[in-house]
Amino acid sequence: KMTLFWHGILTSSFRKTGSNPAMYNQNVLFRRMGMDRYNAMLKSVSRDPAMLIYLDSRKNKKRKPNENYSRELMELFTLGIGNYTEDDVRESARAFTGFQVRGYEEFIFNARQHDTNDKTFLGQTGNWDGDDVVDIIMSQPVAAEYIARRLWEFFAYPDPEPAIVTRLAQIFREGDTRIRPVVRAIFESDEFYGPRAVHALVKGPAELVATTVRSLGIDTNFAVLTKRVTAMGQELFAPPNVAGWGGGATWINSATLLERINMANAVATGRRSRLLFEPARLIDADRDTPPREIVDFLVDLLLGGEVQAATGDAMTAHLRDLAVPRAATGHIAPFDEQLRSLVYLVLASPDYQVA
């Protein structure tokens, strides 16, 4: 999930990098460094071929500096709008000149294309290079607050109270920009378990599908689900723009909501090797098990034990109705189908779309 977080902030896309190992290697970088020092990860990202291609940094030469990476480094990665000037963008771009790519996998520093003159950046003057720029940025108090806020909003809820941001930012600074202590502090905070955090976030498509697969013990190679994630509005390795995915309520519209329901149906009825769901292995029950007991089990498993009384009653009534002979044929649905139908009902519910 941390890798997904970075993928939505330090964005790159195979739509621009092409069908080569660059995006895979960037993903590996996020997995390896995503819980360690942000300072160090930013320096690695500045040299990452996928990023260099995506933001045109490989064209950044001393006679004609390219400002794309420099701008996003401050606007989206570290400081936020309003905490730097256009002069800072230009001076930072000069510091990153000479960062280039050989092929699609190898970073190279071309000293002949690097600007060795002094630069004045965020009030400091010197013969700065890209690493110096990252160090100067991360020494700004607002940088710690920015990343603390982004982490909180990803895991808890939007617009955190200032006291929360201040507390997490201090942990970030004291940990020498390490991410793990901040994430731990988020998960251990009282506010993370408070009323504002309950159902505060809409699950993104990748999270929705991964959560479903893991919670239900589904056997899948995921290939059959990849298109469904994309149809729900999140094409992995291809964020829509440099700002990443909008998240929140933007995940839900008439088209993507229908795709979420289709995904729920595909999972609940999965009987093939590429997508195999076996209710009997998950739910320890038989025809004699009280319907409410089965519903409560799934509510605990999939909805965190929280559901409105009317919703729980409706689910119980649905399962009870399936166990009654049909008027036209006298046929009773097989117990396996009863369980699958109930699972579908839970997965397609509004309650399951939020975290």
Side-chain angles (χ1 to χ4, degrees):
K1 192 163 181 178
M2 282 302 305
T3 301
L4 187 61
F5 170 75
W6 293 123
H7 182 35
I9 293 180
L10 310 176
T11 58
S12 300
S13 170
F14 76 87
R15 297 287 179 191
K16 186 167 183 178
T17 64
S19 55
N20 55 69
M23 286 301 298
Y24 170 80
N25 291 336
Q26 184 185 82
N27 186 271
V28 171
L29 186 155
F30 292 159
R31 290 177 182 275
R32 186 178 74 250
M33 304 188 72
M35 290 289 271
D36 207 340
R37 293 182 62 232
Y38 192 40
N39 183 297
M41 186 164 73
L42 281 176
K43 292 176 181 178
S44 293
V45 165
S46 300
R47 294 166 168 78
D48 173 59
M51 184 66 73
L52 287 165
I53 296 169
Y54 182 66
L55 290 179
D56 302 314
S57 288
R58 59 179 174 168
K59 302 176 182 178
N60 190 10
K61 302 176 181 179
K62 63 181 179 181
R63 291 185 179 275
K64 192 177 181 180
N66 185 290
E67 299 175 359
N68 288 359
Y69 180 73
S70 173
R71 185 179 304 279
E72 308 312 342
L73 173 64
M74 288 180 280
E75 179 178 332
L76 299 174
F77 301 174
T78 57
L79 300 176
I81 295 175
N83 295 301
Y84 59 90
T85 67
E86 288 300 309
D87 285 340
D88 291 324
V89 173
R90 286 189 287 271
E91 296 294 272
S92 172
R94 291 175 56 210
F96 283 104
T97 51
F99 281 35
Q100 297 180 359
V101 179
R102 179 181 289 123
Y104 295 95
E105 297 184 65
E106 183 183 358
F107 166 81
I108 60 172
F109 176 68
N110 187 343
R112 292 179 299 175
Q113 293 297 337
H114 178 65
D115 187 334
T116 57
N117 295 313
D118 281 356
K119 301 100 179 169
T120 299
F121 176 67
L122 291 176
Q124 301 187 42
T125 301
N127 180 17
W128 310 129
D129 61 15
D131 286 353
D132 295 322
V133 163
V134 171
D135 288 336
I136 292 170
I137 289 174
M138 297 311 296
S139 70
Q140 308 299 306
V142 70
E145 296 167 1
Y146 179 85
I147 197 62
R149 182 179 295 104
R150 293 296 298 263
L151 283 165
W152 181 270
E153 291 182 336
F154 182 76
F155 284 108
Y157 53 78
D159 301 319
E161 297 85 345
I164 293 176
V165 175
T166 299
R167 186 172 73 235
L168 296 176
Q170 185 61 26
I171 293 170
F172 182 77
R173 296 186 195 100
E174 292 175 351
D176 194 20
T177 78
R178 285 181 172 81
I179 298 297
R180 189 180 300 277
V182 181
V183 174
R184 177 181 291 276
I186 290 172
F187 294 162
E188 292 180 346
S189 66
D190 292 338
E191 297 91 342
F192 185 70
Y193 302 93
R196 279 198 67 187
V198 177
H199 298 166
L201 301 176
V202 177
K203 295 174 184 172
E207 179 182 0
L208 178 72
V209 173
T211 298
T212 302
V213 167
R214 291 183 174 183
S215 297
L216 297 180
I218 292 170
D219 186 10
T220 179
N221 62 6
F222 215 86
V224 69
L225 293 170
T226 300
K227 290 183 179 180
R228 296 191 179 277
V229 173
T230 300
M232 286 187 279
Q234 187 173 34
E235 185 176 19
L236 293 176
F237 297 100
N241 53 55
V242 292
W245 294 283
T250 66
W251 289 129
I252 303 294
N253 57 49
S254 57
T256 59
L257 183 58
L258 178 60
E259 292 297 337
R260 285 171 178 251
I261 294 172
N262 289 339
M263 186 279 295
N265 181 63
V267 168
T269 60
R271 292 181 172 88
R272 299 184 178 181
S273 60
R274 292 186 303 167
L275 183 62
L276 179 62
F277 172 46
E278 299 177 278
R281 293 179 56 187
L282 176 74
I283 305 171
D284 183 16
D286 55 35
R287 289 184 179 275
D288 295 327
T289 303
R292 188 67 198 213
E293 186 176 316
I294 299 174
V295 168
D296 288 344
F297 171 80
L298 287 175
V299 167
D300 286 341
L301 178 68
L302 300 173
L303 302 178
E306 296 185 11
V307 70
Q308 294 184 6
T311 302
D313 291 343
M315 291 177 178
T316 303
H318 174 74
L319 186 59
R320 188 177 291 116
D321 289 345
L322 292 174
V324 175
R326 297 172 184 172
T329 64
H331 174 72
I332 298 177
F335 190 58
D336 175 78
E337 290 186 13
Q338 295 179 30
L339 296 179
R340 290 178 185 274
S341 180
L342 178 60
V343 168
Y344 164 73
L345 199 63
V346 177
L347 296 182
S349 69
D351 302 78
Y352 191 65
Q353 311 311 310
V354 294

